[in-house]
Amino acid sequence: MTDNKIATVELGRGGPQVGVQGLGCMGISEFYGDTDEVSARETLETALAAGVTLFDTADIYGGGANETFLAPFVGAHRDEITLATKFAIQRRDDDPHYRGVNNDPAYIRQAVEASLRRLGTDVIDLYYMHRRDPNVPLAESVGAMAELVEQGKVKRLGLSEVTGAELREAHAVHPIAALQSEWSLFSRDVERSAVPAAVELGVTVVPYSPLGRGFLTGSFADAGKELSQGDIRTYQPRFNGDNARRNAALLEPVHKIAAAHGASAAQVALAWVQQRAQVHGTPVVPIPGTRRSSRLLENVGATRLTLTADELALLEPIAGRVAGDRYPDMSSTSAARE
Ligand SMILES: NC(=O)c1ccc[n+]([C@@H]2O[C@H](COP(=O)([O-])OP(=O)(O)OC[C@H]3O[C@@H](n4cnc5c(N)ncnc54)[C@H](OP(=O)(O)O)[C@@H]3O)[C@@H](O)[C@H]2O)c1
């Protein structure tokens, strides 16, 4: 670490160096309640000053609003940041819960132009397929993504929520720099086949929702009772009702370990992801999402926290005991195809 900045890691073989923690920008525009946009802008600057360089968005976040929100920041810091966005999920105006998946090459060519326009840039550093549509041959979709690299619209490719077999298949068409999947103390499906494949192929893993969408920090215990209407977590099985009660009890060792280090539960959760990745032998760039500078600094502070073997052992059984799925509909996740 130099100049108080966090350490860096390579993003895919031969890729750029990025800070070992990135910033998830999704919550700025949607899903987790109201946002103070001034604080959110400040958080982006705080992140960059702390050495966070991977900024994560997607075309569906806020129906394009998240990419548009990022545009001035991208313009001001284009060469200092690694900008990641995604395509594939389609929504419908008449049903806020509808999610379609589109991996057609023609759609990909259209989606990239729209993202470039909203982001106000002529190149995306890392372009992800957000979800896999098994009706379109993967080689065709990745082939279309590879053409974007040839055309200079995209620098590197990534995949989200794919299985190990899919990652191998895609990598054979064009090198994949990053795998973005949910990975946290509560969500370890990815360790089954995707992480081992990433290690084998030299793909950097980008754990999303590493704070379990905030639940692991202890900031809420029952989404249905404590969060605002429309907050996506009020629809997620593991954060509501009996499941939430059981799951909140699983956090006891997290709080105990945090207290022993004078750290926060969020820091323990983030340190766990880094150390679990080391066990697998993969570099990781978790992308916790926050709209507050104070939390951003707290989260990057986790890169200086090391958990002991005894503490890791206490945390090991948690994921296996979590009640309730990650999503109300798991059909487009990698777990559904494994
Ligand atoms: N590929 C995919 O399918 C996919 C799916 C979901 C998310 N993502 C990406 O991953 C990013 C991160 O995931 P996420 O935002 O879903 O979940 P997360 O990072 O696990 O948690 C974010 C939540 O935790 C709160 N939080 C952050 N730091 C905190 C701290 N130190 N103490 C207490 N609370 C804290 C945030 O609130 P405040 O903002 O109010 O601080 C927010 O509500 C997203 O922004 C998005 O870019 C990708």
Side-chain angles (χ1 to χ4, degrees):
M1 215 181 296
T2 52
D3 301 336
N4 282 333
K5 291 196 173 181
I6 56 174
T8 61
V9 69
E10 196 177 56
L11 186 71
R13 267 186 201 143
Q17 290 286 320
V18 296
V20 290
Q21 193 178 104
L23 179 64
C25 299
M26 179 181 83
I28 294 172
S29 302
E30 207 181 356
F31 301 129
Y32 298 155
D34 292 343
T35 291
D36 171 345
E37 294 203 348
V38 174
S39 300
R41 286 215 179 279
E42 222 174 77
T43 307
L44 298 174
E45 296 292 345
T46 304
L48 186 59
V52 169
T53 55
L54 179 63
F55 291 82
D56 188 81
T57 180
D59 59 1
I60 63 141
Y61 299 161
N66 198 235
E67 290 181 327
T68 306
F69 179 85
L70 285 178
F73 178 73
V74 171
H77 300 290
R78 190 65 197 89
D79 298 334
E80 300 159 81
I81 66 168
T82 296
L83 176 63
T85 191
K86 323 182 189 78
F87 72 90
I89 303 182
Q90 289 184 297
R91 304 171 78 173
R92 246 179 19 209
D93 289 342
D94 60 344
D95 177 359
H97 300 300
Y98 174 82
R99 299 284 186 272
V101 180
N102 194 335
N103 288 177
D104 282 341
Y107 174 73
I108 297 172
R109 288 191 279 273
Q110 226 178 55
V112 77
E113 295 301 337
S115 284
L116 285 167
R117 201 169 47 245
R118 283 188 294 262
L119 288 162
T121 185
D122 53 7
V123 64
I124 292 162
D125 300 313
L126 175 60
Y127 199 40
Y128 288 105
M129 175 188 285
H130 206 160
R131 286 290 181 278
R132 166 98 185 94
D133 172 8
N135 298 314
V136 180
L138 187 56
E140 277 181 26
S141 309
V142 178
M145 293 168 76
E147 281 171 23
L148 304 179
V149 178
E150 278 161 32
Q151 294 162 4
K153 293 175 181 171
V154 161
K155 287 193 185 156
R156 284 179 179 77
L157 305 184
L159 300 171
S160 176
E161 286 284 349
V162 291
T163 65
E166 289 164 344
L167 188 57
R168 282 192 191 88
E169 190 186 339
H171 197 81
V173 177
H174 187 279
I176 302 297
L179 162 75
Q180 179 174 141
S181 285
E182 187 163 348
W183 196 2
S184 73
L185 275 169
F186 264 26
S187 302
R188 295 179 54 181
D189 303 356
V190 69
E191 292 184 46
R192 258 199 315 266
S193 78
V195 167
V199 171
E200 181 189 308
L201 302 169
V203 174
T204 298
V205 182
V206 176
Y208 80 71
S209 304
L211 298 172
R213 300 179 184 262
F215 191 84
L216 297 173
T217 71
S219 61
F220 71 96
D222 187 330
K225 287 192 183 138
E226 297 164 44
L227 303 179
S228 58
Q229 218 190 355
D231 188 305
I232 200 173
R233 294 167 291 190
T234 63
Y235 302 100
Q236 291 178 315
R238 57 178 50 175
F239 302 138
N240 292 280
D242 283 346
N243 288 343
R245 241 187 319 282
R246 285 172 57 183
N247 294 337
L250 296 175
L251 297 178
E252 200 197 313
V254 180
H255 292 297
K256 216 168 103 184
I257 294 166
H261 286 275
S264 67
Q267 289 175 322
V268 171
L270 292 170
W272 178 87
V273 175
Q274 288 285 356
Q275 287 180 246
R276 187 67 205 151
Q278 277 171 24
V279 172
H280 284 277
T282 181
V284 278
V285 187
I287 46 166
T290 183
R291 299 162 289 184
R292 310 178 203 198
S293 287
S294 57
R295 287 181 170 175
L296 186 289
L297 293 172
E298 179 185 328
N299 295 346
V300 296
T303 64
R304 290 182 281 270
L305 175 64
T306 304
L307 307 176
T308 66
D310 284 350
E311 289 167 345
L312 293 170
L314 275 176
L315 299 174
E316 183 59 28
I318 292 181
R321 295 177 185 157
V322 173
D325 278 335
R326 299 192 277 129
Y327 289 96
D329 174 3
M330 290 286 287
S331 63
S332 69
T333 65
S334 55
R337 299 188 303 278
E338 271 187 326

